[in-house]
């Protein structure tokens, strides 16, 4: 029966993907395998499991952001992607890493609590007025707590070291007002 043959083929293909996963040493290659599983088999459970195992093995913030994006694109699973983005936030230690997370949030991933936490952590790691002004602008665009934007501007003012930086601060304040 053709249906049984198709089920047998899918079962064999799933086993082949599981064997392939066991041989993958770089966890950053696992999302491509999960995507292939979805395209070839449409097996969301198997793909989600591969993504979860990738999440367990990936620790770098930028890699975690890529993983979260891949989960959203492949599985349309906002909850699993959100967990990965939170892990990226926890692992981030530099503002450029947090900028990438803020870009994800500004790009349509709607999680106000994560946005608030990302802005707050940004203010902890930023140490120059340019980064703080960028954080203030992003805070305003994300609709984060207005107090967070004010705090970013206050910190930026404290970090100003030149007339040019003061001019940029005033321009940012005008844009956000």
């Amino acid at each position: 029966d053709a249906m049984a043959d198709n089920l047998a083929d899918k079962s064999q293909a799933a086993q082949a993907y599981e064997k392939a996963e066991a041989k993958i040493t770089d966890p950053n290659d696992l999302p491509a395998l999960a995507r292939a599983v979805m395209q070839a088999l449409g097996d969301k459970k198997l793909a989600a499991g591969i993504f979860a195992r990738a999440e367990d093995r990936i620790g770098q913030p930028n890699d975690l952001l890529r993983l979260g994006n891949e989960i959203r694109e492949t599985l349309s699973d906002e909850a699993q992607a959100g967990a990965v983005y939170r892990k990226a936030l926890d692992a981030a230690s530099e503002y450029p890493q947090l900028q990438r997370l803020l870009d994800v949030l500004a790009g349509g991933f709607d999680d106000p609590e994560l946005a608030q936490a990302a802005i707050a952590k940004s203010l902890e790691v930023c140490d120059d007025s340019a980064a703080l002004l960028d954080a203030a602008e992003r805070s305003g665009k994300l609709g984060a707590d207005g107090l967070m934007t004010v705090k970013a501007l206050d910190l930026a003012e404290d970090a100003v070291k030149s007339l040019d930086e003061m001019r940029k601060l005033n321009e940012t304040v005008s844009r956000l007002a």
Side-chain angles (χ1 to χ4, degrees):
D1 158 68
M3 189 171 193
D5 289 343
N6 191 20
L7 289 175
D9 288 346
K10 280 194 173 191
S11 175
Q12 288 175 336
Q15 289 173 352
Y17 282 116
E18 288 170 357
K19 285 180 185 177
E21 180 185 356
K23 294 180 182 186
I24 292 176
T25 57
D26 182 351
N28 291 304
D29 292 336
L30 291 172
L33 180 67
R35 189 177 339 107
V37 164
M38 278 301 290
Q39 289 170 345
L41 303 177
D43 189 336
K44 193 170 184 173
K45 184 177 178 185
L46 179 58
I50 294 169
F51 279 127
R53 290 184 288 282
E55 179 186 349
D56 290 341
R57 294 174 55 192
I58 294 175
Q60 292 298 319
N62 295 335
D63 294 338
L64 287 164
L65 289 173
R66 278 191 290 281
L67 177 63
N69 293 341
E70 188 67 44
I71 289 168
R72 287 177 68 205
E73 289 174 23
T74 305
L75 300 178
S76 300
D77 187 338
E78 299 290 305
Q80 188 176 0
V84 173
Y85 293 145
R86 280 180 189 70
K87 189 174 176 182
L89 172 64
D90 292 342
S93 60
E94 300 170 3
Y95 186 58
Q97 297 165 334
L98 293 161
Q99 280 178 309
R100 290 190 230 357
L101 175 57
L102 293 169
D103 288 342
V104 168
L105 292 162
F109 186 77
D110 186 28
D111 187 331
E113 288 177 17
L114 181 60
Q116 193 78 4
I119 293 292
K121 188 161 187 179
S122 295
L123 300 185
E124 292 172 17
V125 302
C126 289
D127 58 0
D128 64 69
S129 65
L132 288 161
L133 290 175
D134 184 71
E137 294 242 22
R138 290 167 185 271
S139 176
K141 288 178 184 172
L142 285 171
D145 180 354
L147 294 175
M148 195 69 69
T149 304
V150 170
K151 181 177 179 183
L153 292 171
D154 285 344
L155 290 169
E157 183 178 17
D158 292 344
V160 165
K161 294 182 176 121
S162 70
L163 286 174
D164 186 51
E165 289 181 4
M166 182 57 77
R167 180 186 54 76
K168 290 177 181 173
L169 172 66
N170 288 333
E171 289 171 358
T172 303
V173 168
S174 294
R175 273 194 304 276
L176 293 174

